[in-house]
Amino acid sequence: MANRSAVLHAVNDLRIEERPIPAAGTGQVLVRVAAVGVCGSDVHYFEHGRIGSHLMRSPMILGHESAGHVVDVGEGVDPARIGQLVALEPGVPDRTCSECLAGRYNLCPNVVFLATPPVDGSMSQFVAFDASFAHVAPEGITAEQAAMAEPVSVAVWANRRGQVGPGDRVLVTGAGPIGNFVAQVARSFGASSVTISDLNPYRLAVARSMGFDARLPGEIEGEFDVAIECSGAAPVVLSSMRSLARAGRMVLVGMGADTAPIDVPVLQARELTVLGVFRYANCYPIALGLISSRKVDVLGVITHRFGLAESVRAMTLAHDEPESLKVVVEPQS
Amino acid sequence: MANRSAVLHAVNDLRIEERPIPAAGTGQVLVRVAAVGVCGSDVHYFEHGRIGSHLMRSPMILGHESAGHVVDVGEGVDPARIGQLVALEPGVPDRTCSECLAGRYNLCPNVVFLATPPVDGSMSQFVAFDASFAHVAPEGITAEQAAMAEPVSVAVWANRRGQVGPGDRVLVTGAGPIGNFVAQVARSFGASSVTISDLNPYRLAVARSMGFDARLPGEIEGEFDVAIECSGAAPVVLSSMRSLARAGRMVLVGMGADTAPIDVPVLQARELTVLGVFRYANCYPIALGLISSRKVDVLGVITHRFGLAESVRAMTLAHDEPESLKVVVEPQS
Amino acid sequence: MANRSAVLHAVNDLRIEERPIPAAGTGQVLVRVAAVGVCGSDVHYFEHGRIGSHLMRSPMILGHESAGHVVDVGEGVDPARIGQLVALEPGVPDRTCSECLAGRYNLCPNVVFLATPPVDGSMSQFVAFDASFAHVAPEGITAEQAAMAEPVSVAVWANRRGQVGPGDRVLVTGAGPIGNFVAQVARSFGASSVTISDLNPYRLAVARSMGFDARLPGEIEGEFDVAIECSGAAPVVLSSMRSLARAGRMVLVGMGADTAPIDVPVLQARELTVLGVFRYANCYPIALGLISSRKVDVLGVITHRFGLAESVRAMTLAHDEPESLKVVVEPQS
Amino acid sequence: MANRSAVLHAVNDLRIEERPIPAAGTGQVLVRVAAVGVCGSDVHYFEHGRIGSHLMRSPMILGHESAGHVVDVGEGVDPARIGQLVALEPGVPDRTCSECLAGRYNLCPNVVFLATPPVDGSMSQFVAFDASFAHVAPEGITAEQAAMAEPVSVAVWANRRGQVGPGDRVLVTGAGPIGNFVAQVARSFGASSVTISDLNPYRLAVARSMGFDARLPGEIEGEFDVAIECSGAAPVVLSSMRSLARAGRMVLVGMGADTAPIDVPVLQARELTVLGVFRYANCYPIALGLISSRKVDVLGVITHRFGLAESVRAMTLAHDEPESLKVVVEPQS
């Protein structure tokens, strides 16, 4: 039986290849993957072959936003799990280091993260995965929705780090999939207002249709308690922090800038806090709950779906098609 | 009876003048000032006539690190306070705004702060001051020690914002009076190690004599949980944050830079937090306790003392004399 | 011009009397009161003449959940406030003590709280009140809704102390007005589930109609992350804490018990936290926002309205009429 | 080669038996145990055969406060560890459950804890143990000191849960080994004062010689910000909480009571927080640092030392000898 996978060989060289179906090892489940979201990092590897110091040295399967059904279990895993729809939390930490023991497993130096060289991703028909990081999806959601637990977890974590809560006025810069989810999660956390900005009119329109105050960057008014930067543009850090009220918090989610200037007198006079975020920890159950309860609408963010054979198209679409948000690959079709 | 005061008329034009002795208003105490520490901000007004947007438009008495004895009380203040040695917390907030009600009175937009234009400072023989911000000094400390509650409060606040605690490895950049006090307070908060850096060999030697690991900036080794920047040099922000461990915190105390670059990938990958600080809130009692218990040695930081007539010398000394730390003016002598 | 007021003279002796219309003092507004909610504490004074150590020694006007329109301002208050609909935060602290400066003004030992002996309440046609504690109501809400900011603030504070947030399973014991608001606020804070219990079938039905899992005390199942006790029954403390998951929090809102037993081995083995709450601090703006945005439905909790002349009926109704929740007195009718 | 061990067969029936020397399994180190502190729980099993629901059903080796030298390593462990002095953190969690992932591994439902039925303890000449929970002792401390990292970790955790910090006035009830260490740790955390109470004059004298304000329970005066209950006597909960200032915290360390009454009006009016503690998480490195830096004096608390053959005497001494604190068993002598 085949295990067709989307394997990146080099820049712009993504091939569908047959790989062996892996066996579920000790503590693992074997998952028949039903949906894999395309993340900006997948596109970045496709276009550049690297992300910062993470350099591809050999062919790598892409994909890390995935969900599917358990079809087998390894030693030590309850066979009753067979049949479950699971969302795969893609970074499995070593559980032993001081970061893990402190509950910050996202900072584990030995984490094994899907589709981060040299680790293969999950854009395959089958993947063997750590059973405790294969989170059971709540009743009533689809695999596609469950796969979105990954970017929604990014959004949950960003909101947690920024301590978003009732009464907060939140600014989200960037209305792509992450920015959109960050805005939705901010609302579910009780934010009293959420403003979202982008240059892309389609993405603004989607955000506006979800009830957000969506604006072009130059049209942002007022002051905010929390700014969550999801665009990756360095100058936005400076302009966003200057829009913060006293005791405001600024969360940097977007990647891209190497350095970014901050306004020191403003940081000091208003006692701002600037927070870096890296992936997420302990967020999957909350993300799945938000998806299941419809507090976060993920279907409204998925704009395109492709079969595995169309993976190349899935990678290029984000850049070619301004009227897009999240793209999902369906390995079984 | 006269009230000799150190009045700044213009850049480099500091005069000793007689002002009327103020009356203690409602809720105030009249204090015979015994000691006033010279702060970098006093020197900055003396040399530039302004600090950022705070521009002197008329003559202003300098000084805000002060202590002395209560000699009279206004309406509503217990006459038993007469005779008390008090340390004056120099910023009296409006107590009514949302920042004050939230306990962040240091961020009160209507704060009245000594020696910040157009408010006169306390480098006078007598000053009338809000009774509840005139903190009773613990038994056994001198006015000079009590006056140091101001810069020690800056240090307490910086350590609190940085959540310095047991087990933390702390880096303090800048070994001037503030940096020195920040290092001492870090130790009293339980930091497991404190490294302090400066270019000035005298200041390093003083820090070393107090038991700190004192080093030239280029000789800093290892990683830190908290970095407290007290030098005001923008490039130090970047180098310090790169020396932080995962989940590290960076506190910006030093003023001077307008913008400073931060390393975004490092901020994100290690989930660092960068915190601005502005003065302090609710720190005077703790600062006085640290001084009184000798957990913070303030006498070891005071290197020069002058009478009021020598105030000009007190202002210029910091720049002329590398072998100096804190300078104190004694208005009664 | 008269100022008719509901004055409690002794147990069960509530009289409508004409009092002089007060003048707006310095920093005050004069408010024509439009709505006053009846609180359990009003009823308790009516029935017992005291609450714990707070003993009525002279006639006292009842009422502290109030809103109305500004009709005059005292010295130092912007005359533009005339005409505003304001919700009166009933406890005005001294703003000077260490609790106030720390942001815990609800714990101010010198707080002046409406309808707490010997301070008169606001069940009057006119009341002069601290301008900064007379919170402007958002556009589009009525005085009656604005008056509910008081019990909703109690609910906000209880949820804050219990750190209710996304993912939490919350149990609220007691479905009276406070319990109902606590449940609604928990939901607005992102709680993933809210269960509410009471013996009163009417109150359970109201809660159920609002979407809560409403149950008789004996029918509670499952475990909870936060339990918020609003019934005041001592045994509920023990049963609720035993239903908490590891790291759970128990908030005691309900008054009545002098002592209550806690289960020490359970408290320890699960590392529970038991939190007392006293009124609220910095909650009115959030409460008004929740009411204005309809995240908290206050009209669904107000079951009875009376004119001032019917105040006695307003006091006795809660005990006589099981099919009641919040009662509002309208001083102008 | 033998592995003499102190095996509890039944109440009062502790025997020294030879057991096989275990092999270091995967991820384990084999430790030649040099020192084992006797804990109240060991004595409790010796006297009662159970602690609460933890019932001995078969013979069990006692002891969980232990340190020794690594003499062999299992698969996956660096052989360079051979020769290290290590302190054994006795509870190894499953690292997989939600509590572990959240950093609360002390609440792991699947924790394997030394000398908790049916798990054997470490009062043996050799023990095989999880390598990552075998913490390397800092240079310059002895095995006996390293073994004390266990009760010192209890003290660190209690202080953390109680958020003890600079400015806090701390009351410790109970001056046994745990109470003594709690007091010492509170001081190292920056507490401004530490009062400790007990009925035992010897224990008070030891505490007094360490610089604490040591008093009989009836002689406690003043108010406290944090009370840490280490006596296990239920009535102390009530009296201690009544001595707390507003916003005070009460930490329950001492075991023994099933239920304890709390004062609800006091809990509410002062907004107290009552916190249960269960063992500790992420405290060993800090505890070892405190011991190594002499901020916590453990030698001053160890009053008796016995060879393994005298284990019975080690168990009975605490009850027989009022002039005792911590007892250490040395398995190699």
Side-chain angles (χ1 to χ4, degrees):
Chain A
M1 195 170 161
N3 181 20
R4 293 198 309 138
S5 305
V7 185
L8 183 63
H9 281 255
V11 169
N12 290 331
D13 180 8
L14 182 67
R15 308 178 196 167
I16 306 306
E17 296 181 346
E18 296 203 352
R19 294 288 181 94
I21 296 179
T26 301
Q28 288 192 318
V29 288
L30 179 66
V31 175
R32 189 197 324 252
V33 181
V36 186
V38 175
C39 174
S41 69
D42 296 310
V43 176
H44 204 279
Y45 281 118
F46 178 76
E47 294 179 347
H48 302 283
R50 69 186 304 159
I51 293 181
S53 60
H54 293 288
L55 174 67
M56 272 180 58
R57 295 178 190 282
S58 54
M60 178 180 79
I61 302 174
L62 292 177
H64 66 269
E65 305 178 352
S66 42
H69 292 85
V70 176
V71 293
D72 198 9
V73 298
E75 195 184 322
V77 181
D78 185 352
R81 295 204 60 175
I82 293 173
Q84 286 181 341
L85 172 62
V86 291
L88 304 184
E89 181 171 349
V92 181
D94 71 6
R95 298 185 167 101
T96 303
C97 71
S98 59
E99 298 299 326
C100 284
L101 292 176
R104 301 186 297 254
Y105 66 76
N106 56 320
L107 304 184
C108 171
N110 305 311
V111 68
V112 174
F113 200 95
L114 294 177
T116 299
V119 181
D120 274 327
S122 54
M123 207 171 276
S124 287
Q125 293 186 296
F126 295 93
V127 66
F129 202 75
D130 186 288
S132 64
F133 273 57
H135 299 270
V136 186
E139 288 288 305
I141 73 171
T142 65
E144 189 180 69
Q145 289 174 298
M148 291 300 101
E150 207 280 341
V152 174
S153 287
V154 171
V156 167
W157 188 244
N159 276 278
R160 284 200 159 179
R161 280 279 284 163
Q163 294 187 277
V164 171
D168 284 329
R169 297 158 298 176
V170 177
L171 171 66
V172 181
T173 46
I178 291 293
N180 185 298
F181 288 146
V182 164
Q184 291 197 62
V185 170
R187 184 160 58 191
S188 82
F189 275 36
S192 63
S193 75
V194 180
T195 298
I196 186 165
S197 70
D198 206 302
L199 288 164
N200 178 320
Y202 172 77
R203 292 178 166 192
L204 285 183
V206 171
R208 198 170 292 119
S209 77
M210 288 174 164
F212 296 111
D213 177 26
R215 294 167 177 268
L216 291 168
E219 295 174 349
I220 298 167
E221 285 168 7
E223 66 175 14
F224 301 94
D225 299 298
V226 186
I228 307 186
E229 208 303 289
C230 303
S231 77
V236 179
V237 176
L238 201 58
S239 59
S240 288
M241 73 186 293
R242 285 174 176 158
S243 74
L244 287 173
R246 290 174 174 86
R249 291 136 271 154
M250 165 115 213
V251 184
L252 300 192
V253 180
M255 288 183 278
D258 277 341
T259 62
I262 59 172
D263 184 321
V264 176
V266 159
L267 183 87
Q268 292 176 327
R270 300 185 201 165
E271 287 208 332
L272 305 181
T273 303
V274 179
L275 303 119
V277 290
F278 189 65
R279 297 168 179 164
Y280 38 76
N282 302 302
C283 290
Y284 256 65
I286 290 172
L288 287 167
L290 291 172
I291 294 167
S292 163
S293 65
R294 313 293 142 116
K295 288 181 187 173
V296 171
D297 169 12
V298 296
L299 296 180
V301 177
I302 298 173
T303 55
H304 296 77
R305 293 164 179 87
F306 297 102
L308 196 61
E310 300 164 294
S311 295
V312 169
R313 177 79 186 111
M315 293 297 144
T316 58
L317 185 122
H319 275 200
D320 298 352
E321 175 50 66
E323 300 211 351
S324 67
L325 277 159
K326 177 59 72 180
V327 175
V328 170
V329 170
E330 297 166 347
Q332 305 302 329
S333 62
Chain B
M1 196 169 160
N3 181 21
R4 294 200 307 140
S5 304
V7 185
L8 183 62
H9 280 254
V11 169
N12 289 330
D13 180 8
L14 181 68
R15 307 179 197 168
I16 305 306
E17 296 181 346
E18 296 202 352
R19 294 286 181 96
I21 296 179
T26 301
Q28 288 192 319
V29 288
L30 179 66
V31 175
R32 190 197 322 254
V33 181
V36 187
V38 175
C39 174
S41 68
D42 296 310
V43 175
H44 204 278
Y45 281 117
F46 178 76
E47 294 179 346
H48 302 283
R50 71 187 303 160
I51 294 180
S53 60
H54 293 289
L55 174 66
M56 270 181 60
R57 296 179 191 280
S58 55
M60 179 179 80
I61 301 174
L62 292 176
H64 66 268
E65 303 178 352
S66 43
H69 292 85
V70 175
V71 292
D72 198 8
V73 297
E75 196 183 321
V77 181
D78 185 350
R81 296 204 59 175
I82 293 173
Q84 287 180 341
L85 173 61
V86 291
L88 304 184
E89 182 172 349
V92 180
D94 72 5
R95 298 186 166 100
T96 303
C97 70
S98 59
E99 297 300 326
C100 283
L101 291 176
R104 301 186 297 252
Y105 67 76
N106 56 321
L107 303 184
C108 172
N110 305 310
V111 68
V112 175
F113 201 94
L114 293 177
T116 300
V119 181
D120 274 326
S122 55
M123 208 172 276
S124 288
Q125 293 186 297
F126 295 93
V127 66
F129 203 76
D130 186 287
S132 65
F133 273 57
H135 299 269
V136 185
E139 287 289 306
I141 73 169
T142 65
E144 190 179 67
Q145 290 174 298
M148 292 301 99
E150 207 280 342
V152 174
S153 287
V154 170
V156 167
W157 188 245
N159 276 278
R160 283 200 160 180
R161 279 280 284 164
Q163 294 187 276
V164 171
D168 284 328
R169 299 158 296 176
V170 177
L171 171 66
V172 182
T173 47
I178 291 293
N180 185 296
F181 288 145
V182 164
Q184 291 197 61
V185 170
R187 183 159 59 190
S188 82
F189 275 37
S192 64
S193 74
V194 181
T195 298
I196 186 165
S197 70
D198 206 302
L199 288 164
N200 178 319
Y202 173 77
R203 291 177 166 193
L204 285 184
V206 171
R208 198 171 293 119
S209 76
M210 289 174 163
F212 298 110
D213 177 26
R215 292 168 178 267
L216 290 169
E219 295 174 350
I220 298 166
E221 285 169 7
E223 67 176 10
F224 302 94
D225 300 297
V226 186
I228 307 186
E229 206 303 289
C230 304
S231 77
V236 179
V237 176
L238 202 58
S239 58
S240 288
M241 72 186 294
R242 285 173 176 158
S243 72
L244 287 173
R246 290 173 173 87
R249 292 137 272 156
M250 165 114 213
V251 184
L252 300 192
V253 180
M255 289 184 277
D258 278 341
T259 61
I262 58 172
D263 184 321
V264 176
V266 160
L267 183 86
Q268 292 176 328
R270 300 184 200 165
E271 286 210 331
L272 306 181
T273 303
V274 179
L275 303 120
V277 290
F278 189 65
R279 297 169 179 163
Y280 37 76
N282 302 302
C283 290
Y284 256 66
I286 291 172
L288 287 168
L290 292 172
I291 294 168
S292 163
S293 65
R294 313 294 141 117
K295 288 181 186 172
V296 171
D297 169 13
V298 295
L299 296 180
V301 177
I302 298 173
T303 56
H304 295 76
R305 294 163 180 88
F306 297 102
L308 195 60
E310 300 164 294
S311 295
V312 170
R313 177 79 187 109
M315 293 299 144
T316 58
L317 186 123
H319 276 199
D320 298 352
E321 176 50 64
E323 301 211 349
S324 67
L325 277 158
K326 178 57 75 180
V327 176
V328 169
V329 170
E330 297 165 348
Q332 306 301 331
S333 62
Chain C
M1 196 170 159
N3 182 20
R4 293 198 309 139
S5 304
V7 186
L8 183 63
H9 280 256
V11 169
N12 289 330
D13 179 9
L14 181 68
R15 308 178 196 169
I16 306 306
E17 297 181 344
E18 297 204 351
R19 293 288 181 94
I21 296 179
T26 300
Q28 288 192 320
V29 288
L30 179 66
V31 176
R32 189 196 325 253
V33 181
V36 187
V38 175
C39 174
S41 69
D42 296 310
V43 176
H44 204 279
Y45 281 117
F46 178 77
E47 294 179 347
H48 302 283
R50 71 187 301 160
I51 295 181
S53 60
H54 293 289
L55 174 66
M56 271 180 59
R57 296 178 191 282
S58 54
M60 179 179 79
I61 301 174
L62 291 177
H64 66 270
E65 303 179 353
S66 43
H69 292 85
V70 176
V71 292
D72 198 9
V73 298
E75 196 184 320
V77 180
D78 186 352
R81 296 203 60 174
I82 293 173
Q84 286 180 342
L85 173 61
V86 291
L88 304 184
E89 181 172 348
V92 181
D94 71 5
R95 298 184 166 102
T96 303
C97 70
S98 59
E99 297 299 326
C100 283
L101 291 175
R104 301 187 298 252
Y105 66 75
N106 56 320
L107 303 185
C108 172
N110 305 310
V111 67
V112 175
F113 201 94
L114 294 177
T116 301
V119 181
D120 273 328
S122 55
M123 207 172 276
S124 288
Q125 293 186 296
F126 295 93
V127 66
F129 202 75
D130 186 288
S132 64
F133 273 58
H135 299 269
V136 186
E139 287 289 306
I141 72 169
T142 64
E144 189 180 69
Q145 289 174 298
M148 291 300 100
E150 207 278 343
V152 174
S153 288
V154 170
V156 168
W157 188 245
N159 276 278
R160 283 200 159 179
R161 281 279 283 165
Q163 295 186 276
V164 171
D168 284 327
R169 298 159 295 175
V170 177
L171 171 66
V172 182
T173 46
I178 291 293
N180 185 297
F181 288 144
V182 164
Q184 291 198 63
V185 170
R187 182 160 60 191
S188 82
F189 275 36
S192 64
S193 74
V194 180
T195 298
I196 185 165
S197 70
D198 206 301
L199 288 164
N200 178 320
Y202 173 77
R203 292 178 165 191
L204 285 183
V206 171
R208 198 171 292 119
S209 76
M210 289 175 164
F212 297 111
D213 177 26
R215 293 168 177 268
L216 291 169
E219 294 174 349
I220 300 167
E221 284 169 7
E223 67 176 11
F224 301 94
D225 300 297
V226 186
I228 308 186
E229 206 302 290
C230 304
S231 77
V236 178
V237 175
L238 201 58
S239 59
S240 289
M241 73 186 293
R242 285 173 176 158
S243 73
L244 287 173
R246 290 172 173 87
R249 293 137 270 155
M250 165 115 213
V251 184
L252 300 193
V253 180
M255 289 184 277
D258 277 340
T259 61
I262 58 172
D263 184 320
V264 176
V266 160
L267 183 87
Q268 292 176 328
R270 301 186 199 163
E271 287 209 332
L272 305 181
T273 303
V274 179
L275 303 119
V277 290
F278 189 64
R279 298 168 179 164
Y280 38 75
N282 303 300
C283 290
Y284 256 66
I286 291 172
L288 287 167
L290 292 172
I291 293 168
S292 163
S293 65
R294 313 293 141 118
K295 288 181 186 171
V296 171
D297 170 12
V298 294
L299 296 181
V301 178
I302 298 173
T303 54
H304 295 77
R305 294 164 180 87
F306 297 102
L308 195 61
E310 300 164 294
S311 295
V312 169
R313 177 79 187 110
M315 293 299 144
T316 57
L317 185 123
H319 276 199
D320 297 351
E321 176 50 66
E323 300 211 350
S324 67
L325 277 159
K326 177 59 74 178
V327 175
V328 170
V329 169
E330 298 166 346
Q332 305 301 329
S333 60
Chain D
M1 195 170 159
N3 181 20
R4 294 198 308 138
S5 304
V7 185
L8 183 63
H9 281 255
V11 169
N12 289 329
D13 179 8
L14 181 68
R15 309 178 195 168
I16 306 305
E17 296 180 345
E18 296 205 352
R19 295 287 181 96
I21 296 180
T26 301
Q28 287 191 320
V29 287
L30 179 67
V31 175
R32 189 199 321 254
V33 181
V36 187
V38 175
C39 174
S41 68
D42 296 310
V43 176
H44 203 278
Y45 282 117
F46 178 77
E47 295 178 346
H48 302 282
R50 70 187 303 160
I51 294 182
S53 59
H54 293 289
L55 174 66
M56 273 181 59
R57 295 179 190 282
S58 54
M60 178 179 80
I61 301 174
L62 291 177
H64 65 268
E65 305 178 353
S66 43
H69 292 84
V70 175
V71 293
D72 197 8
V73 298
E75 197 183 321
V77 180
D78 185 351
R81 294 204 61 174
I82 293 172
Q84 286 180 341
L85 172 61
V86 291
L88 304 184
E89 181 171 349
V92 181
D94 70 7
R95 297 185 168 102
T96 303
C97 71
S98 59
E99 298 299 326
C100 283
L101 291 175
R104 300 186 298 253
Y105 66 75
N106 56 320
L107 303 185
C108 172
N110 306 311
V111 67
V112 174
F113 201 94
L114 293 176
T116 300
V119 181
D120 273 327
S122 55
M123 207 171 277
S124 286
Q125 292 187 296
F126 295 92
V127 66
F129 203 75
D130 186 286
S132 65
F133 273 58
H135 299 270
V136 185
E139 287 288 306
I141 73 170
T142 64
E144 188 181 69
Q145 289 174 297
M148 291 300 101
E150 206 279 342
V152 174
S153 287
V154 170
V156 167
W157 188 246
N159 276 277
R160 285 199 158 180
R161 280 278 284 163
Q163 293 187 277
V164 171
D168 284 328
R169 298 159 296 175
V170 178
L171 171 67
V172 182
T173 46
I178 291 293
N180 184 298
F181 287 146
V182 164
Q184 291 197 63
V185 170
R187 183 159 60 191
S188 82
F189 275 37
S192 64
S193 74
V194 181
T195 298
I196 186 165
S197 71
D198 206 300
L199 288 165
N200 178 321
Y202 172 77
R203 291 176 166 193
L204 285 183
V206 171
R208 198 170 293 120
S209 76
M210 290 174 162
F212 296 111
D213 177 27
R215 293 167 178 267
L216 291 169
E219 295 175 349
I220 299 168
E221 285 168 8
E223 66 176 13
F224 302 93
D225 299 297
V226 186
I228 307 185
E229 207 303 291
C230 304
S231 77
V236 178
V237 175
L238 201 59
S239 58
S240 288
M241 72 186 294
R242 286 173 175 159
S243 73
L244 287 173
R246 290 173 173 87
R249 291 137 271 155
M250 167 113 213
V251 184
L252 300 193
V253 180
M255 290 183 278
D258 277 341
T259 61
I262 59 172
D263 184 321
V264 176
V266 159
L267 183 87
Q268 292 176 326
R270 300 184 201 166
E271 286 208 333
L272 305 180
T273 303
V274 179
L275 304 119
V277 291
F278 189 65
R279 297 167 179 164
Y280 37 75
N282 302 301
C283 290
Y284 256 66
I286 290 172
L288 287 167
L290 292 172
I291 293 167
S292 163
S293 65
R294 312 294 141 115
K295 288 181 187 172
V296 171
D297 169 13
V298 294
L299 296 181
V301 177
I302 299 172
T303 54
H304 296 77
R305 294 163 180 88
F306 297 102
L308 196 60
E310 300 164 294
S311 295
V312 170
R313 177 79 186 110
M315 293 298 144
T316 57
L317 185 122
H319 276 200
D320 298 352
E321 175 50 66
E323 302 212 350
S324 67
L325 277 158
K326 177 59 72 180
V327 175
V328 170
V329 169
E330 297 166 347
Q332 305 301 330
S333 60

